[in-house]
Amino acid sequence: MRRRQYLAGLSLASSALLAGCSGSDDTTATPDSESSDIRREAFREALTENGITVRELAVDDESHVNLEYEPAEPTEESVRNSIDAAARAFFDRVYGESGWAVERLDARVVIDGTLVATWQMESEWIEQYLEGRISREEMAARVENSVERHDQ
């Protein structure tokens, strides 16, 4: 495994990652199982609307979202776009109106059943952004820096 930046342009496009998010809403998350299921399904729907095929989506006991998905096309550009879309969807679910009380997203990108990349996004990064402690660019860079390419 070696680290490779799939998201070379993500910091430039980071405003797209957070488009429409002002950070002014104060939300309270409820860890309730039913509402967590609703948020998980809303996350799944946001991914599929972006052409992402969800292979696995689960939340473990430690509130880590485990996602395995296939991008719309088997290209590096599509992998980059899928990471951006999934990060944006995760941000929207955590930050959103009802808030999703999870700690982080661990994602695995597969193409034709083969793992091609892994990446993560922490809910703490979203909180830091909303509190003004980090910029959009810093949050996007953290996602970008977490990407590891898995060579075949």
Side-chain angles (χ1 to χ4, degrees):
M1 240 183 310
R2 65 189 152 107
R3 189 169 296 276
R4 171 148 333 147
Q5 293 182 341
Y6 263 112
L7 303 173
L10 182 61
S11 60
L12 296 175
S14 61
S15 59
L17 174 68
L18 305 174
C21 299
S22 66
S24 62
D25 286 351
D26 184 22
T27 61
T28 304
T30 55
D32 173 274
S33 174
E34 184 178 318
S35 61
S36 182
D37 289 346
I38 292 168
R39 291 180 187 97
R40 186 179 63 233
E41 291 310 309
F43 181 55
R44 177 188 302 275
E45 185 177 312
L47 296 172
T48 58
E49 287 174 357
N50 281 287
I52 295 170
T53 302
V54 177
R55 301 287 180 213
E56 177 188 335
L57 178 58
V59 180
D60 68 19
D61 292 340
E62 298 175 14
S63 296
H64 294 164
V65 177
N66 296 299
L67 170 66
E68 181 173 292
Y69 69 89
E70 192 161 340
E73 298 178 12
T75 64
E76 286 201 31
E77 180 181 3
S78 188
V79 170
R80 280 191 302 270
N81 291 342
S82 74
I83 293 170
D84 180 51
R88 188 173 45 249
F90 183 71
F91 179 97
D92 289 347
R93 301 291 111 28
V94 171
Y95 163 75
E97 210 172 277
S98 58
W100 191 11
V102 293
E103 293 180 17
R104 82 175 191 217
L105 169 66
D106 291 314
R108 295 177 310 279
V109 185
V110 295
I111 295 177
D112 296 327
T114 301
L115 181 67
V116 296
T118 56
W119 61 277
Q120 71 179 28
M121 187 170 184
E122 304 277 341
S123 296
E124 182 179 338
W125 303 344
I126 296 169
E127 291 170 23
Q128 290 172 347
Y129 165 72
L130 294 173
E131 293 169 355
R133 294 188 288 147
I134 64 171
S135 67
R136 291 177 182 189
E137 292 78 16
E138 174 63 23
M139 187 169 64
R142 289 179 183 188
V143 172
E144 180 177 342
N145 290 335
S146 78
V147 175
E148 289 188 26
R149 181 177 178 153
H150 297 257
D151 292 326
Q152 300 174 22

